[in-house]
Structures are given as C-alpha cells and as structure tokens.
Amino acid sequence: MNTILRVAGLHAGYGAGDILKGIDLELAQGSIMTIIGPNGSGKSTLVKTLAGLLPARQGSIELEGRPLNGLGAPRRVLEGIAYVPQEYNVFRNLTVLENLKIAREFMGAGRREKRVLDEELEQLFPELPRHYRIAAGNLSGGQRQMLAFACALTVRPKLLMLDEPSAGLSPLLTIEVFNKVEQVNRMGVSILMVEQNAIESLRISHECIVLAGGRVRACASAREILGMKDLNSFYLGDASNRI
C-alpha cells in the first residue's frame, strides 16, 4: 500500500523547548490512524505542525513524496491537507452557508459551482442545507462539528486531520461523529485523528501511534493497540475512561 504521509525526525515546540522530540510516522493511503497518549504528550502540537500552523525545527514532512517543509498552512491546503482543530473550527458569527462559502472560495476564484455542497457532501451531511441561514454559533455542538467537517471536505483533501473531534459531545453524538469519519474514509480520504476517546476511535482505525513525552512510544495496528493490556491500563483505562 502506498504511503500518503511520511514524517521523519520531527521536532517542534514553543519558545525555547521542543514538545516534539523526533517523531517518525507513516500513514498508508486510504487508512485511518489515531494518535493517543496522555495529556501534554504533543498530540495537538503534532497535527498543528503537520498543518503548517507551527514551524518544524528539525525533520521532514512529505505528502505523497512531496516535501512540505517551508510551506505555510494555506499552501498545504492546496497540496491536499485539511485540518479541523478542536476549538474555533467554524465562524460562529456567520451563517452555515457563509462558512461553507468561505471554505469553498478558499480554493480559488476559478471554481464556478453554484452549490456550496456537491451531491456527495449533501448526502453525507443532509442536515446542513436545512440550517443554511442559521448562525453557526446557534448550532448544537454536534451540528457545529458536522459543519467543520463539511468545510474541510469542501476543499477536497487527500488527507484530513482531526483534533479531538468528539470532545465535549454526548455518547450518542460521539458515535455519529465516528460514523462520519468512517464514511469520509470510504470516500477515499486518508485520516489522521487525535482522540481522547481512545476505545471508540481505535475501533474504527486501521493504525495507531502512542505519544508520550513528545516521542512515539508505540506504533502498531489499532487492533494490536486495543489488545495490549499494559496500554489498556496505562493509557486507555476501561471503556468508560478517557485519556
């Protein structure tokens, strides 16, 4: 299977210190990889660095063999990376329709589609058209997350990165979010996901890496990680606990 994302020896951080201390990972094309680990392990720092929001101090990042080092976040979107942060992932003072238009128009004035969502995305997010005139800030947490997903997918990414997509959601909405992640993956989009809800996220993932102290402590199939008793007790706890 081809590799869509390759990271080697990645260092990044804030101020004088490094949060990431030599991260290596490879994401197979068409797969879902979940990143788990204790708080402060560098999970969010990693996806922000991959998205171009934080500069890499050392190491390399490649998307389909093309180097991304030195490219800012907007250029990385054009290269095929979309990123949905945990917070502030929609413009709450704008309507649902305005959020989607901004996302679509980001790809350039040359696009002439009249519909902000094509047929495939309308089928994936059937509720959104009914809320086009509603301010995003008036949506429920689950609806805002679906809007953030749709905005990211409007740019037709090859790789979608999600930072804590189920954070703050009810168990029922969490299941819905992970169902959407699976559907997006079946559309051919590779997914790199940071998640606190390790048990549920690993159940839909193909691969997993465990971060601790800014380093990769384990890298294996999601099924293997779920089956490791030491990881279950140290990182995951039982199914009712969060990392």
Side-chain angles (χ1 to χ4, degrees), residues 199-237:
I199 299 294
E200 294 303 323
S201 61
L202 288 174
R203 284 174 177 161
I204 68 166
S205 298
H206 305 102
E207 305 169 74
C208 175
I209 63 171
V210 180
L211 291 189
R215 294 183 170 88
V216 176
R217 301 299 186 182
C219 178
S221 72
R223 180 176 296 181
E224 288 178 288
I225 296 293
L226 275 172
M228 292 181 180
K229 293 183 179 179
D230 55 337
L231 284 170
N232 283 340
S233 60
F234 188 73
Y235 290 113
L236 310 183

Side-chain angles (χ1 to χ4, degrees), residues 32 84-85 89 124-125 140-150 153 160 162-186 191 193-195 197 200-201 204 242:
I32 302 174
V84 179
N89 52 24
L124 187 61
F125 304 104
S140 69
Q143 289 170 332
R144 281 198 301 273
Q145 194 64 276
M146 295 304 157
L147 174 58
F149 279 17
L153 292 171
L160 176 63
L162 306 171
D163 192 358
E164 308 282 7
S166 74
L169 300 182
S170 68
L172 186 61
L173 287 175
T174 294
I175 293 172
E176 183 178 355
V177 164
F178 287 137
N179 285 340
K180 293 297 184 188
V181 171
E182 285 189 293
Q183 291 178 55
V184 170
N185 181 241
R186 287 196 292 269
I191 294 174
M193 175 170 57
V194 172
E195 248 305 330
N197 194 335
E200 294 303 323
S201 61
I204 68 166
R242 290 174 176 261

Side-chain angles (χ1 to χ4, degrees), residues 6-29:
R6 179 175 285 109
V7 179
L10 186 64
H11 288 250
Y14 309 90
D18 283 351
I19 302 297
L20 306 179
K21 303 171 183 177
I23 299 295
D24 298 316
L25 72 85
E26 291 189 5
L27 175 63
Q29 193 157 20

Side-chain angles (χ1 to χ4, degrees), residues 78-96:
L78 295 175
E79 291 290 325
I81 292 181
Y83 166 58
V84 179
Q86 178 179 351
E87 298 179 312
Y88 309 112
N89 52 24
V90 297
F91 296 102
R92 295 193 177 206
N93 60 322
L94 300 182
T95 66
V96 168

Side-chain angles (χ1 to χ4, degrees), residues 115-170:
R115 295 161 55 176
V116 291
L117 290 179
D118 61 25
E119 184 175 351
E120 189 174 31
L121 290 181
E122 279 192 355
Q123 291 177 356
L124 187 61
F125 304 104
E127 288 190 5
L128 288 182
R130 298 197 292 269
H131 299 303
Y132 272 170
R133 298 185 182 279
I134 298 176
N138 292 332
L139 299 175
S140 69
Q143 289 170 332
R144 281 198 301 273
Q145 194 64 276
M146 295 304 157
L147 174 58
F149 279 17
C151 288
L153 292 171
T154 297
V155 302
R156 291 297 176 188
K158 301 172 183 176
L159 170 63
L160 176 63
M161 299 193 300
L162 306 171
D163 192 358
E164 308 282 7
S166 74
L169 300 182
S170 68

